[in-house]
Amino acid sequence: MDNADKSVPALRWGILGTGWISTMFVKDLLAPRSSPTKHTIAALGSSSLEKGNAFVEKSWQIAPDQPKPAVYADYQGVYKDASVDIVYIGTPHSLHKANCLDAIAAGKHVLCEKPFTINEREAQEVVDAARAKGVFVMEAMWTRFSPIFTALRPEIIDKNSIGQVQRFFMDFGNYMPLDDLPASSRLKDPALGAGALLDIGIYTLTYASLIMGGFKVGDAHPKLSRVISSLSISHGIDESNVVILEYPATSSPTKAPAKTAILSSTFRYRSDEDFARIEGSNGTIVIFGPAGSVPNGYRMILGPRPAFGEADTREVRTYTVERPEGTLGFFWEADAVAHDIANGRKENALMPLEESLRMMKLMDGIRRDGGLVYPQDEQ
């Protein structure tokens, strides 16, 4: 691909999978919006031509003038397609490692859905292969690229708007009719990496890591002093979980007390609109949205909460995420990837490979402590 004009980066995508996440990703890239970045869906890999063509027919209804991709009845066709610059992997968790390795071997850049792989060992294999081949690879933790974090960082780090952050609470409940799903469902089958932790708990860990870890990622992220967790396991998967992350007190560069993040995720019910709360020594930030993965904004409440019976005169400032109607925000990560590749970078600064390894190691430990073992852990 010719990226001579780096101010207008362009990427030609090959899509693997036709499930919900791939549908939303493609829909966001096809949606009309004001952006200097150009995205083209060049190829689609599916389990059958019928399924792939049906995906294209439905997805392109919002963009009938956009060029339609070549459809393959397997993934190898996407890897071999010379018109594909980067492969987006939206397949079940258990396929991520193999899909990444195959795409990398074909010399393609890769954007792989979260969780990056099933465990840290698999993730390390992918990282090693990417670095050896010299291609760009990133875990598609798309919420990290939401403008909400761009807005939160200066309030928490630079302005110290709510004082020293001391506690963080987040719940991500996404109701799934587990009792009605077949055992082979990606949401129920342990062999496919099913379970709340890897599917949605990773979002709670992401928010906590950024907010409590001073927005430091990878090796720069502060070491946790303790991790406590409880997993509700049924049929070989965690249907819900609770995780507590404890960060140690610091004395340099500034003195700060110990911090605690209390996180929960579940398939048994849907969370409230106000799904997260940051508590500081001089204020609170409440994050809201339809789901933890789709933050719509936050309310910053300045000053400590008044005592019982006292009038609440605190100032409230509201920040709202703006996105084109009908979109979720997958294009923000896609734009970031396009800019990285156009400028010759092999990793993204917000989501470097070391951060993916750190998060996989953290989830491995939580699963190990809770007795949740996947078949891939024993290979």
Side-chain angles (χ1 to χ4, degrees):
M1 187 179 74
D2 182 10
N3 277 311
D5 184 3
K6 293 182 174 59
S7 64
V8 187
L11 275 184
R12 299 171 298 178
W13 294 84
I15 308 296
L16 300 192
T18 56
W20 183 87
I21 199 75
S22 293
T23 301
M24 295 301 103
F25 182 81
V26 168
K27 183 179 178 182
D28 268 19
L29 263 57
L30 291 175
R33 62 190 179 95
S34 176
S35 172
T37 309
K38 179 177 174 58
H39 299 286
T40 303
I41 312 299
L44 171 71
S46 180
S47 57
S48 70
L49 286 177
E50 181 181 15
K51 199 172 182 180
N53 286 325
F55 175 91
V56 172
E57 187 68 25
K58 182 178 180 180
S59 299
W60 263 254
Q61 288 179 1
I62 64 170
D65 296 331
Q66 293 276 4
K68 293 183 178 179
V71 178
Y72 299 98
D74 56 25
Y75 299 151
Q76 291 299 324
V78 176
Y79 305 142
K80 295 176 182 177
D81 194 321
S83 67
V84 171
D85 303 309
I86 182 168
V87 175
Y88 169 81
I89 297 173
T91 56
H93 305 163
S94 59
L95 299 180
H96 287 184
K97 184 189 84 165
N99 294 155
C100 283
L101 293 177
D102 287 345
I104 291 168
K108 304 297 187 184
H109 303 300
V110 174
L111 178 63
C112 179
E113 264 306 328
K114 58 80 200 162
F116 197 41
T117 54
I118 293 292
N119 54 39
E120 185 194 12
R121 177 181 53 78
E122 288 191 348
Q124 189 66 62
E125 288 184 55
V126 174
V127 169
D128 291 344
R131 289 173 174 167
K133 193 72 173 179
V135 295
F136 177 95
V137 173
M138 189 183 88
E139 180 181 7
M141 179 44 73
W142 61 292
T143 307
R144 284 181 182 255
F145 296 87
S146 168
I148 197 170
F149 289 113
T150 305
L152 278 172
R153 178 169 182 157
E155 297 291 354
I156 294 173
I157 303 297
D158 304 326
K159 301 177 185 177
N160 206 29
S161 297
I162 60 169
Q164 293 181 331
V165 172
Q166 298 175 345
R167 298 198 302 175
F168 176 69
F169 298 84
M170 180 171 175
D171 177 61
F172 193 159
N174 190 18
Y175 174 74
M176 296 293 179
L178 296 178
D179 297 335
D180 299 329
L181 295 175
S184 60
S185 168
R186 75 159 191 91
L187 295 169
K188 289 183 71 171
D189 189 350
L192 297 180
L197 179 66
L198 264 60
D199 199 60
I200 55 178
I202 189 171
Y203 288 102
T204 68
L205 295 171
T206 295
Y207 276 80
S209 293
L210 290 172
I211 293 165
M212 307 299 275
F215 292 83
K216 296 177 181 178
V217 298
D219 295 336
H221 190 83
K223 185 177 180 180
L224 294 163
S225 56
R226 187 162 58 153
V227 179
I228 306 169
S229 60
S230 175
L231 277 60
S232 298
I233 299 176
S234 178
H235 301 98
I237 68 166
D238 66 309
E239 295 184 355
S240 62
N241 59 73
V242 177
V243 179
I244 299 174
L245 305 179
E246 294 187 357
Y247 285 81
T250 60
S251 56
S252 177
T254 58
K255 187 176 181 179
K259 297 180 287 188
T260 304
I262 302 171
L263 317 169
S264 59
S265 59
T266 180
F267 283 157
R268 286 302 183 184
Y269 77 99
R270 189 176 180 192
S271 298
D272 189 74
E273 184 83 6
D274 292 346
F275 61 79
R277 186 172 77 252
I278 309 167
E279 294 185 348
S281 58
N282 195 42
T284 302
I285 296 175
V286 177
I287 305 174
F288 58 86
S293 55
V294 193
N296 276 350
Y298 63 77
R299 295 187 302 277
M300 184 165 59
I301 307 155
L302 303 177
R305 186 179 181 184
F308 181 75
E310 293 182 355
D312 191 344
T313 58
R314 294 175 296 173
E315 179 186 355
V316 179
R317 301 175 187 170
T318 301
Y319 168 83
T320 302
V321 174
E322 295 184 0
R323 60 176 73 88
E325 184 177 357
T327 66
L328 293 178
F330 286 92
F331 48 78
W332 286 316
E333 70 172 356
D335 288 353
V337 169
H339 280 275
D340 282 334
I341 293 174
N343 287 280
R345 293 186 286 269
K346 307 304 181 185
E347 298 185 34
N348 178 269
L350 293 180
M351 192 63 205
L353 293 173
E354 290 301 328
E355 178 70 354
S356 292
L357 291 171
R358 186 188 70 81
M359 292 293 286
M360 292 308 310
K361 182 177 181 179
L362 175 59
M363 291 191 292
D364 282 356
I366 293 169
R367 289 197 297 109
R368 182 173 56 250
D369 292 345
L372 178 57
V373 179
Y374 291 125
Q376 292 85 349
D377 298 325
E378 300 174 328
Q379 293 176 0

